[in-house]
Amino acid sequence: MNALFKRRETLLAIVIIAMVAAIATVTPEFIAPSNLLAAYTDTSILIILAMGQMLVIVTRAIDLSVAATVALTGMVMAMVNTQMPELPLIALLPLGIALGLVLGLVNGLLVWKLGIPAIVVTLGTMSIYRGLVFLISDGAWVNAHEMTASFIDLPRSSFLGIQGFAWVSILVIALTYVFVNKRQVGRELFAAGNNPTAAFYTGIDVGRSQFIAFAVSGMLAGVCGYLWVARYAVAYVDVALGFELQVIAACVIGGVSIAGGIASVTGCLLGALFLGVINNALPVIDVSPFWQMAISGAVIVIAVVANTHAERKSGRIILRSAVVGNH
Amino acid sequence: DDVRIGLVVKALGIGFFEAAAEGAEEAAKELGGVEVIYTGPTTTTAEGQIEVINSLIAQRVDAIAVSANDTDALVPTLKKAQQRGIKVISWDSGVAVEGRSVHLNPSSNALIGEMNIKLADEAVKATGSSNGQIAILSATPTSTNQNIWIEEMKKVLPNYSNLELVTTVYGDDLADKSYRETQGLLKSYPNLKAIVAPTSVGIVAAAQAVQDAGKIGQVFVTGLGLPSELAGHVDSGAVKSFAIWNPIDLGYAATMISYNLVKGNATATEVSMGRMGSAMLDSDGSAAMAEPFIYNASNVKEFAEIF
Amino acid sequence: MHTSSDTRKKLSQHPIFAKLKSWESFLIFMTAGVFIANSLASPYFLDPWNLSDATFNFTEKAIVALPLALLIICREIDLSIASIIALASVTMGFCAEAGLGTPWIVLAGLTTGALCGAFNGWLVTRFDIPSIVVTIGTMSLFRGLTYVLLGDTALKNYPAEFDFFGQGYVYSVLSFEFSLFMLLAVVFYLLLHRSTFGRRTYAIGNNPTAAFYSGVNVARHKMTLFILVGLFCGIASVMLTSRLGSTRPTIALGWELSIITMVVLGGVNILGGSGSISGVIIAVFLMGLVTFGLGLLNVPGIVMSIIIGAMLIGVIAAPILLKRMRLGAGRA
Amino acid sequence: MSVTKPLVSLRGISKFFPGVKALDRVELDLYPGEVVALVGENGAGKSTLVKILTGIYQPDAGHIEYDGAAVRLSTPDKARALGITAIHQETVLFDELSVTENIFVGQYIKHGVFGNLDWRSMHSKAAKILADIEAPISPDTLLRDLSIGQRHMVAIARALSFDARIVVLDEPTAALSQHEIQELYAIVERLKNQGCAIMFISHKFDEIFRISDRYTVFRDGTFVEQGLIRDINESRLIKLMVGRNVDQLFPKKTIDLGPPVLSVENYSHPTEFDSISFTLRKGEILGFYGLVGAGRTELMQSIFGVTQLASGTIRIHGQVIDVTSPQSAIAQGIVYVPEERQAQGAVIDLPIVENISLPQLKTVSRAGFIDNTAEYELAEVYATRLRVKAPNWYETVENLSGGNQQKVVIAKWLATKPSVVILDEPTKGIDIGSKAAVHEFMSELVEQGLSVIMVSSELPEVMGMSDRIVVMHEGLCALELERADFSAERIVAAASGGSHSL
Ligand SMILES: Nc1ncnc2c1ncn2[C@@H]1O[C@H](COP(=O)(O)OP(=O)(O)OP(=O)(O)O)[C@@H](O)[C@H]1O
Ligand SMILES: Nc1ncnc2c1ncn2[C@@H]1O[C@H](COP(=O)(O)OP(=O)(O)OP(=O)(O)O)[C@@H](O)[C@H]1O
Ligand SMILES: [Mg+2]
Ligand SMILES: [Mg+2]
């Protein structure tokens, strides 16, 4: 849609490809298609959550409670599944998504109706939601053999050689793309975050936009609650602990502006893939485990600095001569 | 007055420790007049454990039995507890000598190390080849008992010339990280035959990863884990056999030792553990319980009901 | 010319007095309530040694909360504080390992903290990146460096005198940590509410552009605050390391959120521009009392975190709801 | 012509803000096919009325009749549904969105059963509207890449993007070039012919008389009079507006000019301005005139040290100085009262006292700690001198009226005892009474031996107050005139790039 976005996203794509190529020189197996697909599958949950987080950040809010929402919905679904194994997935899945939605709505309502800053609301609900996981489970794990086989197997089943996890993320990317580019409500999130006053003048309720973003983010976290628990075949209190920062980092690397109003699905996807490649490659290329965290931290810092350079405005340019000279 | 014993675990909600708490209750009932306060931090941090221990000190409990997240960091606080007349023992994962009077190892560390390698050997043989590569999946790099066991494993490894230890990776006791590390192992070492995970979180995640990679039969996961958490993976075939000592017995013994210390029924070399017999203390005040018990398809179902 | 009493009367019209009264009395009221509830709920609560022990659980965090409050008032934030504490602890550990004396160890810790803070400040002011973004990165970077440096080892060769910072007592039950915190609290009260530095902090927090146009060196001020936060992470690290007697890469893991919670609970606006040190101090005690009281009842930490989370939202929501109710009543 | 019934009538509309009666039982009628000029001083309540008519604000009293029936415009959507559209005084648009989207946001074109957005139609329609108004803007550029004038054209395009029946133009020409203004007149003509009712707000009387059919006058939030333009002349309209004669609006005093205080030589910026030279003498008021976007603000901010990219020489009292930041400019006695009062001038959440002391905290503190008494006294002296209207000096600036906010900003700078005061649009958004006060005050300043640079886009003001005028056009100095040679034609021509400049 505009050259600048394109440039930043191409840059990120090039960096990712370069990174993959560099990894391949150390471990050629890494670029085997099956392996890349596995890495993508592994990144699916991050991608889905990053899509939701992007919508929240674009409205000038932030959702620190996503990981806790994942843990809570995941635990509830795992527990319902073990208590009522006869309940079909077709009923269980909507339940989990609805629960995620409700948790998102709570965030959204507090932000919209009480006007509490999103970071404070979600800092609070983050503790509350995770605490609730402990309360409902009494701290106990739900283990693989307690869950039904279909519960664990559904997202693993392949279609066209691609696993359910990946399909869900592809679906979410597509839906987000449509939501953000083709739907009025989605576009309004961008307007609300870009200039709340102007949004208000054009009849957009900024609080309501934030509310909607939180609702979507909660719903996607509900989806991920299931995917997470099914993927690792275990549910416990610390599921996805600290994962919210990864999700936010993915958005930020993908060029989502924390000040609101700027984001793109492609950028956000690339940001998540970037972290996904790092997460998956570091164990493979035999980097000392003690280096992994420092490397991903350094990479985030560098990516963020590089991003702002791309974003920097060239000034107003009043002089004609300067305009000419610029081209 | 009741004798009050604070049973401090690495973190609440871990199946192993829940089972240990059961054992502690059993001991309390057997003894009579004993109250067990089962507590611990939410995440496995030393700071969290210190907070919990501080509140136990404030409640003037008679004894504290702790499975430590950090050998050294708890020492100053536990010293303070001892100064206030509280008996301190560590169990499962130990505290440096200055911080406690007795440490109860679930088994001797050497034994655990050897057991893990023996299991790995069995696992490799189960793939149908007599020799092959193995890898270790540990918890956090700072985890005390993990590191000791890995040391011990390396000591006995030369006796198993058919096994080649290729690497040690760390899953941080997080399911997703352990899973991803396992995937990494499977990719980096296509000829890997066995993964030894002496951690209950890691072994579960590794088993799942092996199953998801479709490598059941080519790679077996083994190590230390709980029957209740692993029953499914023994079923699936990702795990042939694994070991664990009985956490119920461990909690029971820790409580018995604490009680006897409070009552003054202990000598420098020996303290009674009720139905578990007597703990023989070495010069550091360490004692060891029995050899870990091995579980496989034949018995895992039965024990999964218990812990 | 005015008589001085005249001026004094006019000075008392200063809006800060009105603001302070409402928020702080609200917090004090809650704190008193928790205190009474604790005394009733547990027979162990009202014991000087116990109360003294309880302060250890929050003092180090509270010390970082002081400069962090200023940073947040100034519209910035630092999520890397816990990681700075860890990295400072590691350098201290290496100094101790090298056989250096206590003063050198402390100096190393403080310097590391200040340098990390300076790095954050440099990234934020030089590249004009939001600090929340920068410090998400440096949070992993600093923590990652502790793993790089330490791996699976621990550093524990601290000299005996080093114990004093985290375990020593100044007078009877009054610990060194706690006395230092009280002293620093007074210093920060003066700094924020009485000094030109504090005035600039508020001005920048309310309107950085106007402050800049008024001749305030905004970048330098922010830089100073980041360094100050780093330095205080160093101080906290000295005390925590001394209290634990050892260093591991996981030291102070997850502290950033509880420290930020303290600051926000103290009435500091997370969007910048307003807040007071007294509010933060009361919030520190409030959180300390709640966790200690619940700890005495052996309530698991995660359940406490539900309560703290709810308290955070509730305390911020209460004035908004009250105001709305008052307006509603006025209209009716 | 005037036999038609009003399309919209506002009856007895009142609107109160905390402490301000913005509108008090005002009346307004808009007729199809006619242009009504709404005139009134700054702060008379014109824009407030616009916001009420577009559903942004709700009136506290009164009602609106549309086609003879009472309507409630509870949201901007409702107003838009009735075909009411406005170009607001401040361009309220979205920097990060494309031109097309800025035009259609809130009223997207959709297609298909699912109601997906139809970008192709929107793009082509946007391109057509832009072509119609002869705005050479590509629909898919981002708004932030446009100049202020172009942004205004986008706002106009937005207003024309749907079938409007009522079009409100709130000072639309303030930021437009001469060519664009002509284009706007043509658009207004076309809308009239289509039967639209138009409300036109402007402070420029030549415009008002050129395009309006009727006038309505507000003063201090109250309705004064309405009638047909052809029945009134300019001086009477001004009298209605101000409520008194306006002869003494520019109290310029003749003062003997002293030696040069500030001289700027060959001052250049890589992209914003080039080869600027001028000298400011003691006791002089130097006016800077130009269209919005001519680069005057950039130049002044550069002299004040806000941006550091410029090269050239600046001398104060003959000494070459190096201005690297606002602090260093202040230290040299140069102060700048910015154009954007709320964003750049005052820290509006802080009390008056703290705003005034902010640039010189050092002088009211001892060892880094503020001496509250000294601070209060400093503020009191200057706030009193400027006749700031406030309950007490600890009132937060936010609660003051616009004019008083501006006075606080000026007081802040005078308190630093400067030798050069740069005033950037000092009377923008200030009511006529305060405006005269500011002008008087400028005279006082020069009497006391200070020198003033006044940036202004109001020709009468520049011509009335200045000893000399520098006209800027596209970042260059287009014309410099002594008071004796002032000529409105030459100045306007130079400002819009006319050929016979210099
Ligand atoms: N949101 C608001 N809050 C408080 N006061 C306001 C608000 N909006 C406008 N006012 C006040 O209402 C009065 C009328 O303002 P308005 O903007 O309608 O004037 P105007 O006639 O458009 O002036 P101008 O010619 O400068 O545009 C002013 O005194 C202004 O300060
Ligand atoms: N295209 C633009 N993009 C962003 N900001 C702009 C743009 N045009 C003008 N501005 C803002 O408006 C201010 C005025 O800019 P400039 O110096 O070009 O004009 P000027 O001649 O002072 O006109 P005026 O002061 O009447 O607006 C600047 O401070 C700038 O921030
Ligand atoms: Mg107006
Ligand atoms: Mg300007």
Side-chain angles (χ1 to χ4, degrees):
Chain A
M1 213 158 100
N2 68 84
L4 197 82
F5 266 135
K6 288 225 178 82
R7 217 180 308 143
R8 177 166 49 212
E9 278 146 23
T10 346
L11 191 78
L12 194 52
I14 291 170
V15 170
I16 293 176
I17 292 169
M19 219 161 63
V20 171
I23 297 161
T25 59
V26 185
T27 341
E29 309 89 87
F30 189 77
I31 50 165
S34 66
N35 206 350
L36 289 179
L37 185 62
Y40 177 83
T41 308
D42 190 60
T43 315
S44 295
I45 292 176
L46 179 62
I47 292 173
I48 298 170
L49 292 176
M51 291 293 148
Q53 187 73 248
M54 171 185 83
L55 297 178
V56 174
I57 294 180
V58 91
T59 64
R60 294 199 179 179
I62 195 163
D63 188 355
L64 295 176
S65 72
V66 269
T69 308
V70 168
L72 183 52
T73 51
M75 178 57 86
V76 168
M77 291 175 84
M79 285 176 71
V80 171
N81 179 250
T82 51
Q83 305 289 314
M84 297 189 272
E86 68 284 355
L87 189 74
L89 282 182
I90 199 86
L92 184 55
L93 292 182
L95 179 85
I97 297 174
L99 178 63
L101 176 67
V102 168
L103 298 177
L105 291 180
V106 170
N107 287 331
L109 276 178
L110 287 167
V111 170
W112 181 19
K113 291 300 175 189
L114 291 187
I116 310 174
I119 188 168
V120 176
V121 167
T122 54
L123 192 61
T125 52
M126 156 184 191
S127 306
I128 296 175
Y129 294 169
R130 196 163 296 274
L132 288 177
V133 187
F134 182 86
L135 282 190
I136 60 168
S137 67
D138 223 3
W141 291 33
V142 179
N143 293 299
H145 69 279
E146 300 169 76
M147 304 174 190
T148 61
S150 58
F151 183 85
I152 297 178
D153 290 340
L154 179 69
R156 274 169 231 283
S157 44
S158 287
F159 175 67
L160 300 177
I162 296 173
Q163 282 194 10
F165 296 106
W167 279 119
V168 176
S169 69
I170 291 168
L171 183 70
V172 169
I173 294 166
L175 286 178
T176 314
Y177 185 84
V178 170
F179 181 66
V180 152
N181 290 301
K182 299 276 179 202
R183 305 300 304 176
Q184 169 151 2
V185 184
R187 289 313 304 164
E188 286 180 354
L189 302 183
F190 284 70
N194 182 215
N195 186 345
T197 318
F200 175 62
Y201 276 26
T202 46
I204 297 168
D205 185 334
V206 176
R208 189 169 149 269
S209 290
Q210 293 182 323
F211 171 78
I212 289 168
F214 274 112
V216 175
S217 172
M219 217 159 67
L220 292 179
V223 173
C224 290
Y226 168 63
L227 293 183
W228 190 293
V229 167
R231 177 156 184 83
Y232 304 115
V234 58
Y236 56 102
V237 177
D238 284 351
V239 156
L241 192 68
F243 201 63
E244 61 278 344
L245 292 180
Q246 286 252 350
V247 174
I248 295 169
C251 290
V252 164
I253 294 172
V256 178
S257 164
I258 216 91
I262 310 178
S264 76
V265 173
T266 326
C268 189
L269 170 63
L270 289 172
L273 287 178
F274 185 89
L275 288 181
V277 169
I278 291 179
N279 285 341
N280 278 279
L282 289 183
V284 177
I285 57 175
D286 220 11
V287 169
S288 149
F290 303 114
W291 277 88
Q292 290 181 11
M293 191 184 240
I295 291 176
S296 51
V299 158
I300 293 174
V301 171
I302 293 168
V304 161
V305 169
N307 239 337
T308 43
H309 266 295
E311 209 175 331
R312 180 133 307 167
K313 263 170 61 172
S314 51
R316 304 229 347 260
I317 313 189
I318 294 172
L319 289 171
R320 266 166 207 260
S321 54
V323 177
V324 173
N326 239 24
H327 285 271
Chain B
D1 255 23
D2 275 4
V3 171
R4 286 179 306 145
I5 299 169
L7 189 70
V8 181
V9 299
K10 289 182 166 188
L12 293 175
I14 295 177
F16 179 83
F17 291 117
E18 304 285 333
E22 260 174 55
E25 285 300 339
E26 181 194 327
K29 208 170 287 163
E30 185 181 319
L31 290 165
V34 172
E35 182 194 344
V36 172
I37 301 172
Y38 170 67
T39 176
T42 310
T43 46
T44 55
T45 63
E47 292 92 330
Q49 249 176 347
I50 290 173
E51 264 184 53
V52 165
I53 292 170
N54 268 335
S55 72
L56 288 175
I57 296 174
Q59 295 171 60
R60 297 186 210 117
V61 295
D62 298 290
I64 293 174
V66 56
S67 169
N69 284 325
D70 190 313
T71 333
D72 310 296
L74 298 185
V75 170
T77 313
L78 291 176
K79 268 190 187 162
K80 190 167 74 184
Q82 288 173 317
Q83 282 160 11
R84 306 257 170 101
I86 296 169
K87 300 289 179 215
V88 178
I89 73 160
S90 56
W91 54 281
D92 179 49
S93 177
V95 173
V97 184
E98 312 88 271
R100 46 80 181 166
S101 40
V102 170
H103 172 62
L104 176 65
N105 274 312
S107 171
S108 91
N109 289 323
L111 220 53
I112 296 169
E114 192 174 349
M115 172 72 68
N116 271 302
I117 293 299
K118 215 156 72 189
L119 287 169
D121 185 43
E122 278 173 22
V124 170
K125 299 232 164 82
T127 65
S129 70
S130 58
N131 52 7
Q133 297 179 330
I134 64 168
I136 297 173
L137 170 69
S138 176
T140 63
T142 61
S143 169
T144 322
N145 43 6
Q146 296 287 324
N147 291 333
I148 295 174
W149 296 335
I150 293 170
E151 274 315 297
E152 294 294 340
M153 282 155 78
K154 287 180 180 160
K155 273 188 209 156
V156 295
L157 211 50
N159 306 336
Y160 292 80
S161 55
N162 60 328
L163 300 183
E164 180 202 351
L165 175 63
V166 289
T167 185
T168 301
V169 297
Y170 298 84
D172 290 350
D173 266 351
L174 296 172
D176 59 320
K177 178 121 197 294
S178 307
Y179 184 97
R180 201 170 289 131
E181 290 292 345
T182 309
Q183 284 184 322
L185 286 177
L186 298 177
K187 284 172 197 164
S188 318
Y189 304 99
N191 296 323
L192 199 67
K193 296 279 185 262
I195 296 171
V196 186
T199 140
S200 59
V201 182
I203 192 170
V204 172
Q208 189 65 45
V210 166
Q211 184 182 347
D212 288 350
K215 294 224 169 177
I216 290 178
Q218 290 160 267
V219 182
F220 286 105
V221 176
T222 184
L224 304 175
L226 291 183
S228 61
E229 291 171 6
L230 283 170
H233 296 295
V234 172
D235 251 5
S236 79
V239 176
K240 264 259 138 24
S241 56
F242 63 96
I244 195 69
W245 41 88
N246 185 327
I248 298 178
D249 290 350
L250 192 58
Y252 172 91
T255 310
M256 280 295 176
I257 293 175
S258 304
Y259 180 82
N260 286 326
L261 285 176
V262 171
K263 290 294 178 193
N265 303 335
T267 66
T269 54
E270 190 176 343
V271 52
S272 159
M273 301 190 289
R275 65 170 163 85
M276 302 297 297
S278 267
M280 295 311 194
L281 305 178
D282 66 11
S283 57
D284 279 349
S286 299
M289 280 175 53
E291 189 172 341
F293 191 74
I294 294 182
Y295 301 86
N296 52 34
S298 70
N299 60 1
V300 70
K301 281 272 152 51
E302 173 190 338
F303 283 93
E305 305 295 318
I306 307 170
F307 59 87
Chain C
M1 264 283 92
H2 302 274
T3 65
S4 68
S5 83
D6 196 14
T7 308
R8 210 170 299 131
K9 199 169 127 226
K10 285 180 178 164
L11 289 176
S12 70
Q13 294 164 335
H14 199 295
I16 196 162
F17 291 106
K19 271 190 207 150
L20 284 186
K21 265 181 221 146
S22 59
W23 183 262
E24 259 100 290
S25 44
F26 177 55
L27 283 181
I28 286 190
F29 180 74
M30 283 193 56
T31 312
V34 173
F35 195 88
I36 294 167
N38 281 347
S39 325
L40 295 178
S42 169
Y44 306 108
F45 180 74
L46 278 179
D47 171 307
W49 279 103
N50 283 352
L51 288 173
S52 167
D53 282 355
T55 62
F56 285 100
N57 293 339
F58 62 77
T59 308
E60 293 125 6
K61 293 178 189 168
I63 282 179
V64 180
L66 294 172
L68 189 68
L70 266 66
L71 189 70
I72 293 180
I73 290 174
C74 206
R75 283 201 195 181
E76 299 291 341
I77 198 162
D78 190 346
L79 293 177
S80 70
I81 39 185
S83 303
I84 298 180
I85 294 177
L87 194 55
S89 186
V90 170
T91 34
M92 289 193 287
F94 280 118
C95 289
E97 215 68 12
L100 295 179
T102 301
W104 292 108
I105 296 174
V106 172
L107 187 69
L110 302 188
T111 314
T112 310
L115 285 178
C116 291
F119 183 63
N120 283 333
W122 178 72
L123 287 171
V124 169
T125 55
R126 167 70 179 74
F127 299 101
D128 213 5
I129 315 173
S131 50
I132 187 167
V133 172
V134 167
T135 56
I136 281 178
T138 54
M139 173 180 173
S140 305
L141 178 62
F142 297 153
R143 176 74 68 182
L145 285 177
T146 67
Y147 283 106
V148 170
L149 292 169
L150 275 193
D152 55 7
T153 57
L155 300 169
K156 50 191 173 189
N157 281 335
Y158 290 99
E161 321 88 84
F162 188 71
D163 289 351
F164 176 74
F165 301 106
Q167 302 173 35
Y169 291 85
V170 175
Y171 175 77
S172 174
V173 298
L174 193 61
S175 68
F176 169 76
E177 280 198 1
F178 192 65
S179 340
L180 182 66
F181 165 65
M182 293 307 281
L183 181 72
L184 290 173
V186 173
V187 170
F188 267 80
Y189 179 84
L190 294 174
L191 187 67
L192 181 61
H193 298 296
R194 293 271 172 269
S195 79
T196 55
F197 187 83
R199 182 63 63 74
R200 292 196 185 100
T201 307
Y202 279 117
I204 297 173
N206 275 306
N207 186 343
T209 318
F212 176 64
Y213 277 74
S214 299
V216 176
N217 192 333
V218 177
R220 194 180 66 194
H221 194 88
K222 286 187 175 167
M223 188 72 186
T224 313
L225 277 176
F226 273 107
I227 294 176
L228 207 58
V229 169
L231 179 69
F232 275 62
C233 288
I235 297 177
S237 182
V238 169
M239 297 192 299
L240 177 62
T241 308
S242 157
R243 186 157 68 90
L244 301 182
S246 64
T247 298
R248 285 205 185 265
T250 51
I251 192 167
L253 199 64
W255 276 23
E256 57 280 330
L257 292 183
S258 46
I259 297 176
I260 290 170
T261 304
M262 276 179 182
V263 174
V264 174
L265 196 60
V268 171
N269 184 350
I270 195 91
L271 308 174
S274 66
S276 75
I277 288 296
S278 24
V280 173
I281 295 167
I282 302 170
V284 162
F285 283 113
L286 181 60
M287 273 176 77
L289 285 175
V290 168
T291 42
F292 183 58
L294 294 174
L296 286 181
L297 302 176
N298 297 308
V299 172
I302 190 149
V303 178
M304 291 184 207
S305 75
I306 297 186
I307 295 170
I308 302 272
M311 212 159 76
L312 182 68
I313 294 178
V315 160
I316 305 286
I320 299 172
L321 288 174
L322 274 177
K323 197 168 145 196
R324 204 167 283 175
M325 265 157 53
R326 219 177 294 146
L327 278 182
R331 217 176 276 145
Chain D
M1 194 184 196
S2 53
V3 291
T4 40
K5 278 201 329 253
L7 181 57
V8 167
S9 303
L10 291 95
R11 294 278 167 259
I13 299 285
S14 299
K15 179 72 190 172
F16 307 106
F17 293 113
V20 186
K21 221 187 240 180
L23 289 174
D24 188 8
R25 286 163 293 163
V26 299
E27 309 280 318
L28 182 83
D29 295 298
L30 300 177
Y31 299 86
E34 292 192 13
V35 178
V36 175
L38 179 59
V39 288
E41 300 168 69
N42 293 119
K46 306 181 294 294
S47 300
T48 306
L49 190 78
V50 172
K51 287 175 190 160
I52 286 173
L53 188 57
T54 48
I56 293 166
Y57 289 164
Q58 298 308 307
D60 295 318
H63 68 277
I64 300 171
E65 283 167 20
Y66 184 89
D67 260 347
V71 288
R72 261 199 70 214
L73 306 172
S74 50
T75 61
D77 293 325
K78 294 247 168 71
R80 193 166 51 220
L82 293 178
I84 302 174
T85 180
I87 298 160
H88 292 282
Q89 189 169 11
E90 331 81 73
T91 45
V92 277
L93 296 168
F94 303 92
D95 280 356
E96 299 295 338
L97 302 184
S98 69
V99 169
T100 303
E101 188 160 8
N102 267 287
I103 292 175
F104 289 102
V105 64
Q107 44 169 17
Y108 295 98
I109 300 175
K110 299 172 189 170
H111 64 171
V113 271
F114 301 111
N116 279 340
L117 305 182
D118 185 356
W119 287 110
R120 193 174 304 165
S121 310
M122 285 191 269
H123 272 303
S124 61
K125 199 167 165 203
K128 187 173 168 306
I129 299 169
L130 290 169
D132 277 354
I133 60 175
E134 290 193 27
I137 306 167
S138 155
D140 55 7
T141 39
L142 278 195
L143 195 81
R144 64 151 180 247
D145 295 329
L146 300 184
S147 75
I148 287 203
Q150 288 176 313
R151 287 170 195 219
H152 253 89
M153 296 309 279
V154 173
I156 292 169
R158 174 175 169 76
L160 301 178
S161 65
F162 64 104
D163 288 333
R165 295 193 61 197
I166 296 163
V167 179
V168 180
L169 305 164
D170 193 352
E171 300 197 35
T173 58
L176 298 187
S177 71
Q178 210 52 44
H179 171 74
E180 288 164 331
I181 289 175
Q182 296 305 326
E183 198 52 49
L184 181 77
Y185 291 162
I187 294 167
V188 168
E189 204 55 45
R190 214 166 57 221
L191 289 173
K192 264 170 76 167
N193 294 338
Q194 289 166 9
C196 284
I198 294 162
M199 173 162 134
F200 183 76
I201 299 174
S202 174
H203 293 290
K204 300 182 188 164
F205 285 92
D206 53 336
E207 279 178 10
I208 291 170
F209 281 92
R210 159 134 196 228
I211 66 169
S212 318
D213 304 297
R214 295 168 180 273
Y215 66 89
T216 297
V217 181
F218 284 4
R219 192 194 308 145
D220 288 340
T222 58
F223 171 83
V224 177
E225 194 181 294
Q226 61 180 14
L228 293 174
I229 277 284
R230 60 169 183 256
D231 299 339
I232 197 170
N233 64 22
E234 187 170 324
S235 63
R236 213 183 102 66
L237 193 56
I238 294 178
K239 182 125 195 263
L240 282 178
M241 203 173 108
V242 184
R244 60 184 151 93
N245 289 323
V246 285
D247 304 338
Q248 73 284 44
L249 204 55
F250 303 111
K252 171 83 189 123
K253 298 198 177 108
T254 2
I255 290 168
D256 292 333
L257 300 186
V261 176
L262 171 77
S263 62
V264 172
E265 286 155 35
N266 210 7
Y267 204 53
S268 302
H269 184 282
T271 57
E272 310 304 314
F273 50 81
D274 199 22
S275 330
I276 306 285
S277 300
F278 63 88
T279 305
L280 177 68
R281 296 167 65 184
K282 190 171 159 119
E284 186 179 32
I285 298 178
L286 177 59
F288 267 78
Y289 183 75
L291 298 177
V292 173
R296 296 163 300 165
T297 298
E298 299 292 343
L299 172 65
M300 298 308 157
Q301 293 190 343
S302 217
I303 293 173
F304 185 57
V306 170
T307 45
Q308 285 115 46
L309 290 169
S311 61
T313 320
I314 301 179
R315 284 176 219 272
I316 277 272
H317 303 299
Q319 294 285 318
V320 175
I321 57 163
D322 191 18
V323 178
T324 54
S325 65
Q327 295 97 285
S328 55
I330 296 164
Q332 299 293 344
I334 304 174
V335 299
Y336 171 71
V337 179
E339 179 178 5
E340 316 234 343
R341 192 166 42 228
Q342 300 225 333
Q344 302 171 340
V347 183
I348 60 168
D349 292 313
L350 291 188
I352 297 171
V353 169
E354 299 187 3
N355 266 283
I356 293 180
S357 65
L358 190 56
Q360 45 175 337
L361 286 172
K362 280 215 178 75
T363 62
V364 295
S365 61
R366 254 176 267 132
F369 286 92
I370 292 169
D371 175 349
N372 283 329
T373 315
E375 183 186 29
Y376 184 85
E377 280 163 2
L378 174 82
E380 181 165 51
V381 168
Y382 286 91
T384 315
R385 240 180 84 187
L386 275 147
R387 295 190 287 279
V388 175
K389 236 192 284 170
N392 66 67
W393 303 137
Y394 279 117
E395 187 63 45
T396 43
V397 172
E398 192 179 16
N399 297 337
L400 304 183
S401 76
N404 282 303
Q405 292 183 352
Q406 181 78 324
K407 287 186 204 166
V408 171
V409 178
I410 297 175
K412 166 175 86 177
W413 290 124
L414 291 186
T416 65
K417 305 201 176 66
S419 48
V420 175
V421 182
I422 304 173
L423 299 163
D424 197 347
E425 309 276 10
T427 59
K428 187 167 129 184
I430 278 193
D431 66 64
I432 205 104
S434 304
K435 202 166 183 171
V438 169
H439 292 149
E440 247 161 60
F441 185 69
M442 280 165 63
S443 295
E444 269 172 47
L445 290 183
V446 289
E447 267 178 322
Q448 287 163 19
L450 273 72
S451 309
V452 172
I453 293 178
M454 177 185 65
V455 174
S456 173
S457 306
E458 277 189 54
L459 195 53
E461 177 174 80
V462 190
M463 291 181 60
M465 291 305 298
S466 316
D467 292 293
R468 210 148 34 91
I469 296 178
V470 174
V471 182
M472 283 186 70
H473 171 68
E474 289 189 347
L476 301 174
C477 185
L479 182 68
E480 186 168 340
L481 285 181
E482 292 294 334
R483 189 167 179 89
D485 308 327
F486 282 2
S487 134
E489 288 73 34
R490 285 187 69 195
I491 292 173
V492 170
S496 38
S499 50
H500 59 282
S501 56
L502 274 185

